Amino acid sequence: MIELASVIAIPFVTALVLALVGHRRWAAEINILGSLLTLIAAGMLTLKIVNHGSMILFDEQFFIDPLNVFLIALTAFVGFTTALFSRPYIRIEQDKGRLSSGRLRLYHSMFQMFMCTMLVALSTNNLGILWVAMETATLTTVLLVALYRTPASLEAAWKYFILCGVGIAQALFGTILIYFAAEQMLGPEGGALLWTHLNAVKYDLEPTVLSLAFIFLFVGYGTKTGLVPLHNWLPDAHAEGPTPVSAVLSGLLLNVALYAIIRCKVLVDGALDTRFAGHLMMAFGLLTIVVPAFYLSRQKDIKRLFGYSSIEHMGLITFAFGMGGPVANFAGLLHMTVHSLTKSAIFFTVGHAAQMAGTQTIEDIKGLIKRSPSMGWGLMLGTLAILGMPPFGVFTSEFMILTTTIKHYPWATPIVLIALGVAFASLFHKVQGMTFGEPNIKPLSHNPALLPVFLHLGLVLMLGLWIPPYLADWFRQAAKFIG
């Protein structure tokens, strides 16, 4: 019990502290310390679940099982490495006069509050609390996207707030419909919003109401996941917010929103005993793979470029979970992991590269390898990894998804392959021009934090060559649980 309480309480308390002292020179160290303590608590929680199995805690309001505990550990780890990267990045922004004392307090406190809301969303057993946590995550990231207070950043934050606000309202209506269906079975005091109670009676829930509820939930949380055509907020939010925010948006928030959809899918599959939810996820997942792939070639902003790449990969993961089955679910979980690690590493290098060039325009960033070999190779290797080149873990997960597609849905295979091919050509062409050529960039005023880049890429490489047995068993348990 204390492990879960620590996972949630540490970032919350750290956020309160940083709201007061977040403008101090040593605020970045407090941010790192809070993130490290959260990671340690998440590790202790993971060990407890591995040794003792699933747990229901705090009057049944929180539930930890193999599915969400691995996402909690991943979230805490990426949050910690992002805090490490954030330290020199934010100080360089401060030296350039882009952040005042008030904005520094806002940034540091909202970063920790964002981590807290994601961890609550992942661990709660109550669908109502899940909705509240997702809405709070939206509000905190709106403030982070608008941090620079430029016209472009305010427009991006407003678009993000409106689109995700409308989407989350749809999720609320879907949650109400689930309560309406469950209340008839469980009674008004029977925990009709508790996922474990709903899962126990899912075969007896009204199919029509559950199918309608899933449509609203899928639209609502699908907006946060970045599924086409609900994706328009994501590239703008990535381009205009601070780069550490882009890293956690791509690497973490999209996973949390998709996790909410998966939890609801389990209930709907049981109530309907059909492939309705899976087919819906496959359809929108396939659309989300294809559309961003053709947008990539038109991008001129480096952060927008990788924002569209994140949309494409969330489409691939959604498609995998829509297919279902042990292999596709395993591949979806693996792809969530390697995408989070790889994309956050890419944003770490992109953030410092944009600071060195003084711009995010792709054409104006040249010669990264000559000016900073570690940064240039980090960006190139990260790009090759996210494009699915062997032996990185993204290749393994994509190969598993494609083989499952060939076996069960051969008509979708050429669509996925063409989209992946177009994305490969567009991304590699643009990143190649940034890394090679004559350098036109200046050194940074602080040493960049590149250790998280190679730590992430090293883990992704390891997962492509060898998945530790305990991690493979973990994924299998979670995949079996999803169905």
Side-chain angles (χ1 to χ4, degrees):
M1 183 178 293
I2 190 171
E3 293 87 356
L4 178 60
S6 300
V7 166
I8 296 172
I10 290 172
F12 182 78
V13 173
T14 308
L16 296 180
V17 172
L18 288 172
L20 300 175
V21 300
H23 61 292
R24 302 290 186 184
R25 195 68 177 174
W26 35 265
E29 282 73 14
I30 295 179
N31 192 35
I32 293 171
L33 178 61
S35 299
L36 176 60
L37 293 175
T38 303
L39 176 59
I40 294 171
M44 294 170 62
L45 178 64
T46 301
L47 289 175
K48 192 164 188 177
I49 296 300
V50 169
N51 294 328
H52 299 95
S54 303
M55 294 191 303
I56 300 175
L57 303 167
F58 301 117
D59 196 26
E60 298 188 282
Q61 297 303 308
F62 290 86
F63 171 62
I64 310 297
D65 66 358
L67 174 59
N68 60 4
V69 77
F70 112 82
L71 287 172
I72 290 171
L74 177 65
T75 299
F77 176 75
V78 176
F80 170 63
T81 54
T82 303
L84 289 176
F85 159 74
S86 173
R87 179 177 178 270
Y89 179 89
I90 291 299
R91 286 182 175 174
I92 293 169
E93 295 293 278
Q94 189 178 11
D95 291 345
K96 291 182 177 181
R98 301 189 69 187
L99 294 176
S100 62
S101 297
R103 292 179 191 174
L104 283 171
R105 288 199 303 271
L106 178 66
Y107 168 78
H108 284 120
S109 59
M110 287 301 101
F111 179 87
Q112 288 293 328
M113 190 61 70
F114 178 48
M115 296 299 301
C116 177
T117 56
M118 287 192 294
L119 292 167
V120 169
L122 288 171
S123 58
T124 185
N125 189 32
N126 190 311
L127 296 185
I129 296 177
L130 171 63
W131 182 88
V132 171
M134 291 298 295
E135 175 69 0
T136 309
T138 300
L139 296 177
T140 56
T141 43
V142 164
L143 296 174
L144 289 171
V145 170
L147 186 68
Y148 292 129
R149 298 296 191 273
T150 62
S153 66
L154 292 173
E155 179 185 351
W158 182 248
K159 182 187 292 187
Y160 175 38
F161 177 71
I162 293 297
L163 288 176
C164 289
V166 171
I168 211 74
Q170 307 300 311
L172 175 61
F173 190 63
T175 305
I176 293 170
L177 286 175
I178 287 183
Y179 177 83
F180 172 74
E183 193 264 346
Q184 301 177 41
M185 296 294 302
L186 299 170
E189 297 180 359
L193 281 179
L194 297 180
W195 189 90
T196 49
H197 291 202
L198 291 165
N199 191 48
V201 299
K202 62 185 177 183
Y203 299 106
D204 301 317
L205 297 176
E206 173 57 42
T208 304
V209 177
L210 261 291
S211 59
L212 185 61
F214 185 75
I215 292 173
F216 282 102
L217 289 163
F218 185 72
V219 171
Y221 292 129
T223 304
K224 296 286 290 183
T225 309
L227 300 180
V228 174
L230 311 168
H231 67 288
N232 291 331
W233 64 270
L234 196 150
D236 290 345
H238 280 69
E240 302 304 332
T243 302
V245 177
S246 302
V248 291
L249 277 176
S250 266
L252 301 178
L253 181 62
L254 305 185
N255 282 353
V256 177
L258 185 55
Y259 162 82
I261 294 174
I262 294 170
R263 284 290 193 195
C264 297
K265 177 182 180 291
V266 173
L267 301 177
V268 176
D269 285 346
L272 272 64
D273 195 25
T274 67
R275 297 274 300 140
F276 168 76
H279 288 159
L280 190 64
M281 292 178 70
M282 285 180 61
F284 279 90
L286 199 58
L287 183 65
T288 307
I289 297 170
V290 173
V291 172
F294 289 92
Y295 269 95
L296 286 170
S297 62
R298 302 172 55 188
Q299 301 310 308
K300 298 180 180 179
D301 184 291
I302 183 60
K303 290 172 69 177
R304 284 182 65 89
L305 178 75
F306 285 107
Y308 275 104
S309 172
S310 294
I311 297 171
E312 181 202 15
H313 283 276
M314 295 314 295
L316 191 62
I317 298 168
T318 303
F319 180 76
F321 285 124
M323 287 191 294
V327 177
N329 286 338
F330 185 100
L333 293 167
L334 178 60
H335 202 82
M336 289 176 81
T337 305
V338 293
H339 174 260
S340 294
L341 294 171
T342 308
K343 191 55 64 67
S344 52
I346 289 172
F347 274 112
F348 295 161
T349 58
V350 164
H352 282 316
Q355 287 181 325
M356 293 173 75
T359 178
Q360 294 177 189
T361 304
I362 296 172
E363 293 295 325
D364 295 334
I365 304 175
K366 301 288 184 184
L368 281 175
I369 283 181
K370 288 187 177 180
R371 179 66 71 184
S372 176
S374 56
M375 189 183 301
W377 281 114
L379 178 58
M380 179 55 72
L381 290 174
T383 302
L384 291 174
I386 206 65
L387 290 174
M389 288 291 289
F392 291 101
V394 180
F395 169 79
T396 304
S397 57
E398 288 186 351
F399 183 79
M400 294 173 71
I401 293 171
L402 281 170
T403 52
T404 306
T405 306
I406 292 169
K407 181 178 179 180
H408 297 290
Y409 302 95
W411 57 268
T413 306
I415 301 174
V416 175
L417 284 174
I418 291 171
L420 292 178
V422 171
F424 185 101
S426 300
L427 267 179
F428 188 76
H429 170 72
K430 292 182 179 295
V431 172
Q432 185 182 23
M434 294 173 57
T435 52
F436 300 103
E438 288 302 317
N440 61 345
I441 51 180
K442 300 177 181 178
L444 296 172
S445 57
H446 296 271
N447 291 327
L450 296 178
L451 176 62
V453 175
F454 293 99
L455 177 60
H456 284 208
L457 294 180
L459 290 172
V460 174
L461 179 62
M462 182 195 75
L463 292 174
L465 297 171
W466 174 70
I467 300 178
Y470 65 88
L471 185 59
D473 290 340
W474 197 356
F475 283 161
R476 289 191 193 97
Q477 292 180 43
K480 182 179 179 182
F481 173 80
I482 295 170

